[in-house]
Amino acid sequence: MAVGDRQSLAHELVAASYLKGDFVLRSGKRSNRYFDKFLFETDPALLKRIGTGLAALVPGDTQRLAAPELGAVLLGGAVSMETGLPLILVRKEPKGYGTAKQLEGRFTEGERVTVIEDVVTTGGDSLRSIAALRDAGLDVIHLAVVLDRGEGGEDNIRAAGIPYSPLFRITDLTLD
């Protein structure tokens, strides 16, 4: 992604989804700023542009994509459409009806998977999804995310041995 396109996308991301106020993050910490992923994931044009940016971070030897529910599913679909790679949905818990699966989608043991994620704080949800994929015999080779909030997620993910690429770090964005 060219520098100008990246800066333009960063501006769009901030304009669409950056909120100021008093928020409690998933980590339990309080913050005076928040990126509402549903605001950028439900805007079709912005979702497509973010999907294109994330697709550029997917290693060439990836055979499947995976997206944790709830927030990353739309992003995973956008990257899947951009790359032509099939997508696996990773549920937080196996559903209690129908197939009762935690991983939705067809896959073959040993396939190389890149996980697509939206906003990373501590990385806990990403790591739980990666563990479920590994438990199913998949080889998780990369994690690509839209935004790293800079609150320890990258360190936790790298400590788990996962190559990691954020499209943006919070320090990349111009915030007031």
Side-chain angles (χ1 to χ4, degrees), residues 5-7 11 13 20 26 36 48-49 58-59 64 72 95 99 114-115 118 122 124 132 134 143 153 163:
D5 289 342
R6 185 174 162 76
Q7 290 172 336
H11 177 75
L13 179 69
K20 294 190 302 185
R26 190 175 302 169
D36 190 333
K48 182 169 177 36
R49 285 187 28 92
V58 174
R64 294 212 178 262
K95 63 183 183 178
T99 59
T114 292
V115 177
D118 46 31
T122 64
R134 286 179 167 169
L143 173 62

Side-chain angles (χ1 to χ4, degrees), residues 9 50 56 58 69-70 87 89 98 123 128 137-138 143 147 164 168 172:
L9 183 55
I50 291 171
V58 174
E69 72 168 343
L70 181 64
L87 178 67
L89 165 68
R128 280 186 287 282
L138 295 162
L143 173 62
L147 178 67
Y164 177 77
F168 298 106
D172 296 334

Side-chain angles (χ1 to χ4, degrees), residues 3-176:
V3 173
D5 289 342
R6 185 174 162 76
Q7 290 172 336
S8 173
L9 183 55
H11 177 75
E12 285 181 67
L13 179 69
V14 170
S17 60
Y18 176 60
L19 304 172
K20 294 190 302 185
D22 182 29
F23 305 98
V24 178
L25 304 177
R26 190 175 302 169
S27 64
K29 293 182 181 180
R30 295 192 88 81
S31 178
N32 63 353
R33 58 187 183 195
Y34 184 74
F35 280 87
D36 190 333
K37 60 191 172 201
F38 297 108
L39 293 175
F40 68 74
E41 289 183 24
T42 56
D43 175 335
L46 183 54
L47 178 63
K48 182 169 177 36
R49 285 187 28 92
I50 291 171
T52 300
L54 285 173
L57 302 177
V58 174
D61 60 342
T62 298
Q63 295 172 293
R64 294 212 178 262
L65 301 171
E69 72 168 343
L70 181 64
V73 173
L74 294 172
L75 286 169
V79 178
S80 176
M81 291 176 69
E82 189 69 28
T83 62
L85 293 168
L87 178 67
I88 301 167
L89 165 68
V90 183
R91 295 182 183 281
K92 291 180 184 177
E93 298 291 330
K95 63 183 183 178
Y97 56 90
T99 59
K101 293 180 182 179
Q102 184 169 12
L103 302 181
E104 294 286 351
R106 298 183 190 274
F107 55 87
T108 303
E109 190 172 324
E111 284 184 311
R112 293 178 305 278
V113 177
T114 292
V115 177
I116 305 299
E117 187 62 279
D118 46 31
V119 178
V120 168
T121 302
T122 64
D125 282 343
S126 299
L127 291 171
R128 280 186 287 282
S129 294
I130 289 166
L133 292 160
R134 286 179 167 169
D135 287 348
L138 295 162
D139 181 14
V140 178
I141 63 169
H142 199 80
L143 173 62
V145 306
V146 176
L147 178 67
D148 184 321
R149 286 184 53 88
E151 296 188 22
E154 183 167 6
D155 292 338
N156 293 335
I157 291 160
R158 289 199 191 274
I162 308 297
Y164 177 77
S165 298
L167 188 57
F168 298 106
R169 290 181 170 85
I170 202 156
T171 55
D172 296 334
L173 305 177
T174 305
L175 305 174
D176 52 356

